[in-house]
Amino acid sequence: MSNEYPLQYDVVVVGAGNAALCAGISAKEEGANVLILERGPQHKRGGNSFFTDGAIRTAFQNLDDIREIIPEMTDEEAARIQIPIYHAEDFYNDLMRVTGGKSDPQLAKYMTGQSTQVVKWMQRNGVIFELNENQSFEKDGILTFWGNLPLKTQNKGVGLIEQLNKRAEELGIDIWYQSRAVKLVEENNQITAIQIEQPDGVVTVRTGSVILACGGFEANKTMRARHLGSEWNAAIVRGTEYNTGDGLMMALDIGAQPYGDWAGCHSIGTDCKAPEVGDFSKPGDIYKKSSFPLGLLINKEGKRFVDEGADFRNYTYAKYGREVLKQPGGMAYQIFDAQVYPLLRKEYLIGEATFVKADTIEELADMLEVDKTQFLQTIREFNQAVQEGAYNPTVKDGKGTAGITPPKSNWALRLEEGPFYAYPVTCGITFTFGGIHVNTHGEVLGKEGTPIPGLYAAGEMVGGLFYENYPGGSGLMSGAVFGKAAGASASRYVREKTQSAASQ
């Protein structure tokens, strides 16, 4: 196997998802000779990015910014669109709000401040964006967007990975499949090579720099139990089976500084019948169930356990999966009636969706694995607690409850119009929040806080951004921003090192 490849590259990127591909493209743009390593076979390439719904959070000054990213939008279409402006400061404030002020201010400001330019850079490199219909409602012919997440990639994560790979191929970037990075090699306190496990054996590639962008440890049960808790063994892995913490372990082995919320992760309510790991033959985020703000979440004991209407789903879904896991049997039911059923997201209507339907709430209770008496009492008490007011799912309408715990702060409608629907959900883990410490150049920092020469990281491996929760769409943006930064930095580092050696 080793004789088939040139064993010298300026930059080796470990991983082949959004962050890794952005890093490789960025490094190539700076003139580097680049190799990208994908642990899986070609038909399972793309990491967690392959499974994403494609929503990407970015700041924008006006609709012209959006139209630059979606140049196909006509004047007529633009006239029928209402999108609240979302400045970099708004993005930063949202990130800080949902993480309880714990997000690293330097990294947070860099990501949010760079977001507009980076998404435009992605578009110039062949990524096709479109409006995110899951974040909009149409009224009086006007399409109104809410939740500050109006953009997504065409054909979700599948399209994103296809488009980035097409660009990598156009640029002449080498990609090796079934190639698992296993060890970083240092000489004179700097990265000089990387060992790669392939079907035919281990190959050592000499390189001027390495960018680690191969995800967290969400698919590693041992690491999940150690860092998140043993109950996380029951969680479904929503994405790739290959994110087992390889990059984190390699970096820590040579002295990288662990950083961020190692006890936290992104997890959501997902269909109880979803596969144990992501199914590459059924890509996209098809098993998630994110319309819970429109209904109620009730556990097997027949009790509610969260404020479903605390905020837009963008700001609560990443932490409510953990709350579902805490419930008896690690599951719960999302309950809706005929009033809100037409507003449910598309994933509720596909053939893979698991649900039961009944004409009355009593009949529904008979069909569920719940304490029926308590379930019906919970519904009665909720209906009695609903306050009058205008219902408007495009804003936090303040139409809530009074006198019950937990409350429902927004979008509270009495559950009273049949037919009624129940969707059983469990917890699906998406990615882990704990990572390694990098600076805004993507350089990996050692325990003394100084960069490890030649080592960079991006994507889910960047610690310190997300704590306990995250704003929807920030993961793809973080991957792109720090991937682009790491690629450019790694390429410049190799060039400067080469020039310095030549001058001596």
Side-chain angles (χ1 to χ4, degrees):
M1 177 70 75
S2 63
N3 293 330
E4 297 177 21
Y5 302 121
L7 299 184
Q8 178 87 37
Y9 286 88
D10 297 324
V11 178
V12 174
V13 183
V14 182
N18 169 59
L21 290 164
C22 284
I25 291 167
S26 176
K28 189 70 174 182
E29 285 182 335
E30 292 285 336
N33 184 24
V34 179
L35 170 65
I36 291 176
L37 302 175
E38 166 61 81
R39 179 177 166 183
Q42 186 166 352
H43 71 278
K44 289 188 174 184
R45 70 182 182 183
N48 274 353
S49 304
F50 186 84
F51 292 93
T52 179
D53 207 28
I56 187 165
R57 183 172 294 264
T58 183
F60 50 93
Q61 299 295 318
N62 47 49
L63 189 59
D64 288 341
D65 275 340
I66 299 292
R67 296 189 68 178
E68 187 175 339
I69 299 163
I70 310 178
E72 301 83 9
M73 187 186 298
T74 65
D75 291 343
E76 184 182 9
E77 289 170 334
R80 296 198 304 268
I81 292 170
Q82 182 177 340
I83 304 177
I85 300 307
Y86 194 55
H87 298 293
E89 184 180 1
D90 299 323
F91 189 173
Y92 176 83
N93 290 338
D94 277 343
L95 179 58
M96 284 298 180
R97 175 172 58 84
V98 302
T99 61
K102 295 177 182 176
S103 186
D104 182 303
Q106 260 193 324
L107 298 179
K109 283 183 180 175
Y110 185 75
M111 180 182 74
T112 57
Q114 290 290 310
S115 63
T116 308
Q117 294 308 313
V118 168
V119 81
K120 290 179 180 179
W121 171 83
M122 294 173 75
Q123 191 272 336
R124 291 195 299 272
N125 274 287
V127 177
I128 303 169
F129 294 94
E130 59 190 22
L131 292 175
N132 183 9
E133 76 281 352
N134 277 334
Q135 300 286 142
S136 66
F137 288 92
E138 186 171 347
K139 185 178 180 181
D140 300 328
I142 301 296
L143 200 60
T144 301
F145 286 80
W146 54 271
N148 302 309
L149 198 55
L151 286 178
K152 69 174 183 178
T153 55
Q154 185 187 71
N155 197 20
K156 305 182 179 182
V158 179
L160 172 65
I161 293 302
E162 285 178 354
Q163 293 147 21
L164 288 174
N165 271 287
K166 180 181 178 183
R167 182 57 175 157
E169 184 179 342
E170 290 171 352
L171 292 172
I173 295 172
D174 289 343
I175 301 178
W176 293 359
Y177 296 99
Q178 292 181 283
S179 296
R180 180 181 187 179
V182 292
K183 185 179 180 181
L184 298 167
V185 180
E186 288 184 295
E187 296 172 21
N188 302 319
N189 199 35
Q190 60 187 359
I191 299 297
T192 57
I194 185 167
Q195 290 183 1
I196 304 160
E197 188 179 86
Q198 295 180 320
D200 293 348
V202 175
V203 175
T204 299
V205 172
R206 295 195 65 80
T207 182
S209 63
V210 170
I211 303 172
L212 298 172
C214 50
F217 58 86
E218 61 273 4
N220 185 322
K221 284 192 175 184
T222 302
M223 290 185 72
R224 286 208 312 262
R226 182 187 312 145
H227 296 290
L228 306 180
S230 59
E231 68 274 16
W232 285 90
N233 282 338
I236 285 171
V237 176
R238 300 178 62 230
T240 179
E241 70 239 56
Y242 299 116
N243 282 11
T244 55
D246 292 359
L248 293 170
M249 294 301 100
M250 284 190 291
L252 295 174
D253 282 347
I254 66 165
Q257 185 183 134
Y259 196 53
D261 182 12
W262 275 72
C265 65
H266 178 297
S267 62
I268 74 166
T270 194
D271 196 300
C272 270
K273 296 293 180 65
E276 288 190 12
V277 297
D279 183 349
F280 280 84
S281 70
K282 290 188 175 181
D285 207 357
I286 65 173
Y287 293 102
K288 71 168 181 276
K289 295 290 178 286
S290 294
S291 289
F292 58 87
L294 301 176
L296 299 181
L297 267 166
I298 298 181
N299 63 20
K300 286 185 175 183
E301 295 175 342
K303 298 177 181 178
R304 293 174 58 244
F305 52 93
V306 294
D307 179 350
E308 302 90 346
D311 207 332
F312 289 119
R313 48 81 57 187
N314 296 342
Y315 304 115
T316 59
Y317 79 126
K319 65 179 180 179
Y320 278 3
R322 178 168 60 248
E323 298 305 317
V324 170
L325 189 64
K326 293 176 183 177
Q327 304 311 305
M331 64 87 64
Y333 295 97
Q334 294 182 6
I335 310 295
F336 307 100
D337 74 355
Q339 296 177 91
V340 299
Y341 183 76
L343 303 177
L344 298 185
R345 292 163 58 100
K346 288 182 178 179
E347 67 261 20
Y348 288 80
L349 311 178
I350 61 177
E352 288 80 3
T354 305
F355 70 97
V356 295
K357 175 183 176 182
D359 290 330
T360 69
I361 199 68
E362 289 78 12
E363 290 173 358
L364 188 73
D366 286 333
M367 301 168 72
L368 305 180
E369 192 179 338
V370 294
D371 180 322
K372 180 178 178 180
T373 301
Q374 180 60 58
F375 177 87
L376 295 176
Q377 181 179 331
T378 296
I379 300 294
R380 282 195 300 271
E381 290 176 352
F382 172 80
N383 285 345
Q384 292 166 3
V386 171
Q387 302 298 290
E388 296 302 321
Y391 177 76
N392 184 352
T394 69
V395 297
K396 288 199 282 186
D397 59 11
K399 180 170 167 47
T401 59
I404 58 171
T405 303
K408 185 170 184 183
S409 300
N410 296 283
W411 313 300
L413 287 177
R414 292 179 181 86
L415 201 79
E416 58 187 7
E417 291 188 18
F420 300 88
Y421 303 82
Y423 290 80
V425 294
T426 186
C427 175
I429 184 169
T430 317
F431 66 91
T432 44
F433 290 158
I436 51 180
H437 201 174
V438 306
N439 60 22
T440 55
H441 301 293
E443 297 173 306
V444 174
L445 305 182
K447 291 175 182 174
E448 303 302 318
T450 56
I452 297 174
L455 187 60
Y456 303 82
E460 295 171 8
M461 292 189 60
V462 174
L465 272 177
F466 308 130
Y467 288 80
E468 299 178 9
N469 195 10
Y470 106 135
S474 299
L476 282 184
M477 195 73 258
S478 168
V481 167
F482 288 99
K484 182 176 184 294
S489 297
S491 185
R492 286 194 295 267
Y493 166 79
V494 173
R495 184 167 62 246
E496 290 167 4
K497 188 169 67 169
T498 303
Q499 290 170 348
S500 176
S503 66
Q504 292 178 359

